[in-house]
Amino acid sequence: MKVLAFAASSSKKSINAQLVRHAASLIKDCEIQHLDINDYEMPIFSVDREDEFGIPEPAHRFFHKIGQADALLISFAEHNSSYTAAYKSLFDWTSRIDGKVFQGKPMVILSTSPGGRGGASVLETAVNSAARFGGVVKASMPVPKFYENFDTQAGKLINDELLSSLKSTLRALFDLPDDA
């Protein structure tokens, strides 16, 4: 299975990128392709820009990457209870190619933040809207208090309860080694 894994964040220090990399490292027997949305930067979506210039090439590349995958693993950063501006614009441009951006792919959706809700607002939005955009959500999970529960040097969750929950979440779609 070919898995496309990415954080819906443009931060170079993204805690969601750290989480999605850790989650992907737990999966076995899959080809994991990590994507950085910074490689797909475009102007903020507007119909005026679309009318004048068409759909930017990075949106086509992003849509193609999703199409090549068998499954998606996404961790959403939360800005003011919603998607990051960078992800929202990329998503909006890509939806102009095909409203079913996720192309029927099964997906596991995560989120994290430094706060106690772990990005629960954006996670709820992502889960609730995925089907409209061609996504098949198999499981989702927020990770609260990132800096208390994640060792950034080792790149892994250090809270055993959260780690167990993450493994259960991933097992909804992926195989994990017995020792994971």
Side-chain angles (χ1 to χ4, degrees), residues 15-16 19 74-84 109-127 140-146:
I15 60 177
N16 281 277
L19 177 61
I74 306 170
S75 188
F76 285 91
E78 183 174 281
H79 288 185
N80 298 319
S81 299
S82 191
Y83 300 114
T84 64
I109 301 177
L110 309 172
S111 67
T112 193
S113 75
R117 296 189 68 236
S121 294
V122 73
L123 183 66
E124 181 180 0
T125 299
V127 168
S140 65
M141 177 186 165
V143 175
K145 299 181 181 180
F146 180 81

Side-chain angles (χ1 to χ4, degrees), residues 20 32 36 43 70 73 97 104 128 131 137 140 154 159:
V20 83
I32 309 291
D36 182 343
D70 298 311
L73 176 60
I97 297 166
N128 289 339
V137 178
S140 65
N159 178 305

Side-chain angles (χ1 to χ4, degrees), residues 35-106:
L35 179 141
D36 182 343
I37 69 167
N38 288 302
D39 295 336
Y40 302 85
E41 191 170 326
M42 294 174 272
I44 293 173
F45 172 77
S46 82
V47 292
D48 295 335
R49 283 190 182 104
E50 182 181 12
D51 288 345
E52 187 172 349
F53 303 110
I55 299 170
E57 183 270 335
H60 290 280
R61 285 191 293 118
F62 182 67
F63 187 75
H64 182 71
K65 285 287 186 189
I66 291 171
Q68 290 179 316
D70 298 311
L72 305 174
L73 176 60
I74 306 170
S75 188
F76 285 91
E78 183 174 281
H79 288 185
N80 298 319
S81 299
S82 191
Y83 300 114
T84 64
Y87 175 76
K88 182 70 167 88
S89 189
L90 173 59
F91 182 85
D92 288 345
W93 277 114
T94 305
S95 74
R96 301 302 279 189
I97 297 166
D98 185 331
K100 301 296 184 188
V101 173
F102 299 124
Q103 304 172 51
K105 306 300 178 180

Side-chain angles (χ1 to χ4, degrees), residues 137-155:
V137 178
K138 296 297 185 178
S140 65
M141 177 186 165
V143 175
K145 299 181 181 180
F146 180 81
Y147 294 106
E148 294 176 28
N149 294 309
F150 196 92
D151 180 338
T152 58
Q153 295 297 316

